[in-house]
Amino acid sequence: MSDRIATAVPSVPPVADELGRAFADAGFELHLVGGSVRDALLGRAAWEDLDFATSARPEQTLELLERLGTTTWTTGAAFGTIGAMFQGERVEVTTFRADQYDRVSRNPIVAYGDTLEDDLRRRDFTVNAMAVSVPEHVFSDPFDGRGDLARRVLRTPATPEESFADDPLRMLRAARFAAQLEFEVDADVRAAMTAMSGDLSRITAERVRDEFVKLMGAADPVLGLRLLVDTGLAEVFLPELPALKMQIDEHAQHKDVYEHTLTVVRNAVALEDGAPDVVLRIAALLHDIGKPDTKGMGTDGRVTFHHHELAGARMAKRRLRELKFPKEQITAIAHLIALHLRFYGYGRGEWTDSAVRRYVTDAGDELARLHKLTRSDVTTRNKRKAARLAADYDALEERIARIEEEEDLARVRPDLDGNEIMRLLGVPPGRVVGEAWQHLKEIRLDRGPLSRDEAEAELWRWAKERGVLPDAGE
């Protein structure tokens, strides 16, 4: 494959040539650039994204695209980018850039360039600094990006120090591309990332979050995560991860909790049955972050981490809020972390049907992910133990399926609803109704579905004991 990349010129989609002719007729250059060129050379995608660089200024680009009868949008106009739907394809056209940074603020000061090479020099990595002119199909690669693709290495067009000083987010991008493309990072780039990792604090939480999410959705996120920890970048925005390095796993089967965690992430990736599940992957990454704060020593001399799942859920909520994750994702990830140990003990035969109902009910919409996270957490090298735990979880899933055939476990409700409770007790809406409803739900979880008479008897019994109706049921 490396020989093919070293000599290949990517084929160009007809729609790009059509747009190129329109720009050429108007006296402007137009070039396909960036990740779309890289991926075409790698054979990874058939031009899913059409990103162009042009000598036209944004207002000229907008006028030309509107004249072509396309739908346009200008949300990126401040940075020189005009978006459009051209012949059914989504395209983005950006004026040649020669960005300037004051190296203090969090955003670039946009300055337009005059040449394609200037534009390519300001890009993050050489593998993203290639271009194909349209409609001429002249391939431009002033920084040997094609050679780096063949060598599977990440370098910067300018010096790494200059590139990262201009935009520290590029250091996080290096980790993301390492995970996404499964490339090595050039030694000079890695050294600059280590020396300049603290500069990442200049970047807004939202931009850091977006890159981190892309990294976690990559083909092998562990490659990127190791790079983040080894260079000190993780200390800046996710210090809970490197903190795991010095914690000894209580099973004494792994070098440390850090290595165990990376294995759990890889296990979770392997259990996915479709598109990358970033919520599951982040839950796997953070599932043990409560261990450093809960480390203790048992009477037998073994290391313990009592209730680390609850501490970890709280820590995950706090960290993900700081990174501006959506509320629903924070809730899901913290919920998975809090529940990830619930399964242990099932194999000892201690679980009743009531315990199974509660497991399913407590997991709620996250049950499928909880299954995967729990299985991923089994990283013991003891093959007999691993087989036993897998068999135990198989048995639990089969038991859940059996009970679900008899009951709707996904929607466990009391056998009497609020209106029936109010009618039977003769009370208005309020606290009493809610408490009665919750009591009947607990009975439902413990015993399964009740008959109408049984449910009413339980309601009267509860009401009498609570003094809601002193003569209830008599």
Side-chain angles (χ1 to χ4, degrees):
M1 183 177 180
S2 60
D3 291 341
R4 183 189 64 77
I5 292 172
T7 58
V9 175
S11 59
V12 174
V15 66
D17 284 337
E18 190 69 25
L19 190 61
R21 278 188 283 272
F23 272 75
D25 290 345
F28 303 118
E29 297 178 34
L30 190 69
H31 307 267
L32 279 163
V33 292
S36 57
V37 177
R38 177 200 70 220
D39 287 347
L41 285 171
L42 288 172
R44 289 167 53 93
W47 299 100
E48 292 180 357
D49 299 309
L50 294 178
D51 294 323
F52 297 90
T54 181
S55 57
R57 293 299 189 252
E59 62 275 11
Q60 295 170 320
T61 296
L62 179 61
E63 180 183 355
L64 178 56
L65 289 172
E66 288 179 338
R67 194 162 66 240
L68 292 172
T70 64
T71 300
T72 60
W73 54 90
T74 59
T75 51
F79 297 98
T81 300
I82 304 297
M85 289 297 296
F86 181 72
Q87 294 186 0
E89 296 286 344
R90 183 185 176 97
V91 303
E92 287 192 342
V93 183
T94 304
T95 299
F96 290 158
R97 295 267 292 275
D99 288 349
Q100 299 174 352
Y101 294 76
D102 61 16
R103 302 190 177 182
V104 175
S105 69
R106 298 181 174 191
N107 292 307
I109 302 169
V110 176
Y112 298 126
D114 297 315
T115 68
L116 175 63
E117 184 166 341
D118 285 344
D119 181 89
L120 297 178
R121 181 181 294 276
R122 60 156 287 276
R123 293 179 180 268
D124 50 10
F125 301 103
T126 61
V127 296
N128 296 328
M130 298 176 286
V132 180
S133 65
V134 285
E136 299 90 348
H137 297 188
V138 175
F139 182 68
S140 298
D141 184 18
F143 306 104
D144 194 26
R146 184 164 56 182
D148 287 340
L149 273 185
R151 292 185 289 272
R152 302 181 68 81
V153 66
L154 288 172
R155 290 189 306 113
T156 54
T159 67
E161 292 79 8
E162 180 182 353
S163 180
F164 298 153
D166 280 347
D167 187 359
L169 189 67
R170 290 172 176 170
M171 295 185 286
L172 192 51
R173 242 182 242 137
R176 190 246 292 186
F177 282 124
Q180 196 172 58
L181 302 173
E182 300 181 78
F183 279 17
E184 291 289 329
V185 176
D186 176 77
D188 290 342
V189 173
R190 181 185 287 263
M193 291 168 67
T194 303
M196 302 175 67
S197 58
D199 287 5
L200 188 64
S201 60
R202 289 166 39 196
I203 305 301
T204 62
E206 291 85 354
R207 292 182 71 205
V208 170
R209 175 204 62 209
D210 289 347
E211 279 300 325
F212 175 59
V213 167
K214 290 175 183 176
L215 186 159
M216 290 305 296
D220 187 357
V222 170
L223 290 176
L225 293 168
R226 285 194 185 279
L227 187 60
L228 292 179
V229 172
D230 293 347
T231 57
L233 285 163
E235 287 281 2
V236 179
F237 76 99
L238 194 65
E240 295 82 1
L241 180 58
L244 297 175
K245 274 197 127 181
M246 301 305 294
Q247 301 302 318
I248 304 302
D249 188 272
E250 74 271 30
H251 302 299
Q253 295 298 314
H254 296 273
K255 184 176 181 181
D256 52 34
V257 179
Y258 172 72
E259 291 296 335
H260 163 75
T261 293
L262 297 184
T263 300
V264 174
V265 172
R266 278 213 168 110
N267 289 348
V269 171
L271 289 177
E272 291 173 346
D273 50 12
D277 186 345
V278 172
V279 168
L280 172 64
R281 294 181 181 196
I282 294 177
L285 180 67
L286 303 182
H287 81 286
D288 273 349
I289 60 172
K291 283 187 171 181
D293 286 352
T294 58
K295 183 179 178 182
M297 190 72 69
T299 56
D300 59 357
R302 291 170 65 85
V303 175
T304 62
F305 301 100
H306 293 311
H307 304 302
H308 74 268
E309 71 280 13
L310 302 181
R314 291 192 296 270
M315 293 168 66
K317 279 185 179 180
R318 183 168 61 248
R319 178 59 58 197
L320 296 174
R321 283 176 185 143
E322 290 182 2
L323 288 170
K324 309 296 185 184
F325 271 76
K327 182 178 179 180
E328 63 274 12
Q329 291 185 0
I330 295 173
T331 299
I333 291 167
H335 194 50
L336 288 166
I337 294 170
L339 291 176
H340 83 272
L341 290 184
R342 180 75 70 86
F343 158 72
Y344 292 94
Y346 177 80
R348 295 194 294 267
E350 299 170 357
W351 282 34
T352 61
D353 281 358
S354 172
V356 175
R357 291 188 195 97
R358 290 180 185 278
Y359 187 77
V360 173
T361 301
D362 289 349
D365 292 339
E366 299 305 319
L367 181 62
R369 284 185 174 130
L370 183 59
H371 287 332
K372 293 175 184 176
L373 178 59
T374 303
R375 289 182 181 275
S376 298
D377 197 27
V378 178
T379 61
T380 177
R381 297 174 185 174
N382 184 320
K383 293 183 179 179
R384 182 177 297 177
K385 182 178 180 181
R388 176 174 56 78
L389 288 169
D392 287 347
Y393 209 84
D394 287 343
L396 174 59
E397 290 200 54
E398 290 170 6
R399 191 170 175 186
I400 290 171
R402 175 181 60 77
I403 296 175
E404 281 182 332
E405 288 181 2
E406 303 166 1
E407 311 169 28
D408 186 2
L409 290 183
R411 294 177 178 82
V412 173
R413 296 288 186 272
D415 297 283
L416 300 174
D417 63 22
N419 289 328
E420 292 171 307
I421 291 170
M422 287 188 289
R423 180 178 60 79
L424 289 167
L425 297 184
V427 296
R431 179 177 57 83
V432 168
V433 178
E435 290 178 355
W437 188 94
Q438 188 60 44
H439 172 74
L440 291 175
K441 181 179 179 181
E442 292 296 318
I443 296 293
R444 171 72 170 75
L445 287 168
D446 283 338
R447 292 164 46 185
L450 304 180
S451 69
R452 175 75 183 202
D453 288 345
E454 289 173 325
E456 289 188 9
E458 287 295 340
L459 177 63
W460 292 124
R461 186 178 298 113
W462 173 86
K464 185 175 182 179
E465 289 173 357
R466 291 295 304 270
V468 174
L469 293 175
D471 298 321
E474 294 184 353

